[in-house]
Amino acid sequence: MTDNEKAVRTIQGRVVSNKMSKTVTVLVERQVQHELYGKIIRRSTKYHAHDEKNECQEGDVVRIQECAPLSKTKNFRVVEIVARAAQ
């Protein structure tokens, strides 16, 4: 990696909303250990991602990649659909 290259963050999550035009809401869950008690707890974050062809459906598992801001809340774009939702 050279000086002007940046590592691109890619994460995987589940589409929870596709009601917007060319935008999907992706829920990303992760497991972290509680600082004091050590119990494994589940944390989640929602990201807005750009879906150029409007092909994502609710329940799909998608891979999203960080990019330059596309709007006030969109900083990711859909790279691929990993698994389709069960119909």
Side-chain angles (χ1 to χ4, degrees):
M1 193 158 48
T2 60
D3 292 339
N4 58 358
E5 278 186 39
K6 229 177 126 177
V8 183
R9 191 160 64 128
T10 304
I11 49 183
Q12 192 167 307
R14 185 170 40 88
V15 176
V16 291
S17 172
N18 64 346
K19 292 175 176 62
M20 295 170 275
S21 176
K22 295 190 178 184
T23 305
V24 292
T25 304
V26 179
L27 181 77
V28 177
E29 288 185 332
R30 64 189 196 282
Q31 292 181 337
V32 295
Q33 192 172 19
H34 192 278
E35 307 81 40
L36 179 61
Y37 300 116
K39 180 178 178 176
I40 302 296
I41 52 180
R42 186 177 293 140
R43 296 281 183 217
S44 62
T45 310
K46 286 182 184 177
Y47 296 105
H48 287 160
H50 185 67
D51 179 20
E52 183 62 43
K53 299 174 188 161
N54 279 328
E55 53 190 13
C56 293
Q57 301 298 321
E58 285 188 24
D60 289 354
V61 177
V62 294
R63 188 166 290 126
I64 58 176
Q65 182 177 10
E66 197 169 26
C67 63
L70 298 165
S71 71
K72 181 180 175 181
T73 58
K74 269 202 289 190
N75 296 312
F76 287 87
R77 65 173 29 114
V78 175
V79 177
E80 68 169 316
I81 299 171
V82 178
R84 288 281 184 188
Q87 298 294 321

